Amino acid sequence: MKNTIKSLRSLPEYNLSQAKLAEELGTSRDRISAIENGAVPSGKLMLRICTYFNRDIREIFFDDGVVCTTQKRKKKQQKRRVK
């Protein structure tokens, strides 16, 4: 799963190391590193991350394949309605 955690924690208003972010979220630095490298966090940790950065879950966590599939499905449904 792709995410923007590394870029968010590097922003001037946060300027956090992995260790400091882990401490703030109540998890380990290794877990933050794994998430930044594509591991999927638990639902609770995902929500804590979103709350900490005050961002919508879709702004932080995403998967290009899922987004494309959803968009294609919506387009097909719209075409069916028009006919």
Side-chain angles (χ1 to χ4, degrees):
M1 175 176 281
K2 297 179 182 180
N3 63 70
T4 58
I5 295 172
K6 186 173 184 176
S7 59
L8 284 171
R9 68 179 178 80
S10 299
L11 290 173
E13 62 259 33
Y14 298 109
N15 195 26
L16 298 166
S17 65
Q18 287 180 340
K20 183 63 178 168
L21 179 59
E23 182 181 318
E24 294 285 330
L25 297 173
T27 191
S28 69
R29 188 208 59 81
D30 289 339
R31 188 67 188 136
I32 297 298
S33 177
I35 294 167
E36 286 181 358
N37 288 308
V40 179
S42 68
K44 284 183 178 183
L45 182 53
M46 199 179 282
L47 289 173
R48 284 195 308 242
I49 291 167
C50 294
T51 302
Y52 184 84
F53 288 114
N54 195 28
R55 300 282 201 290
D56 185 88
I57 196 166
R58 293 167 291 193
E59 292 179 61
I60 299 176
F61 299 98
F62 57 94
D63 186 352
D64 290 335
V66 172
V67 173
C68 292
T69 302
T70 304
Q71 289 172 347
K72 288 178 185 176
R73 191 172 297 143
K74 284 182 181 178
K75 286 180 184 178
K76 284 181 182 178
Q77 290 173 347
Q78 288 173 349
K79 286 181 182 178
R80 288 179 192 156
R81 289 181 193 153
V82 173
K83 292 180 181 180

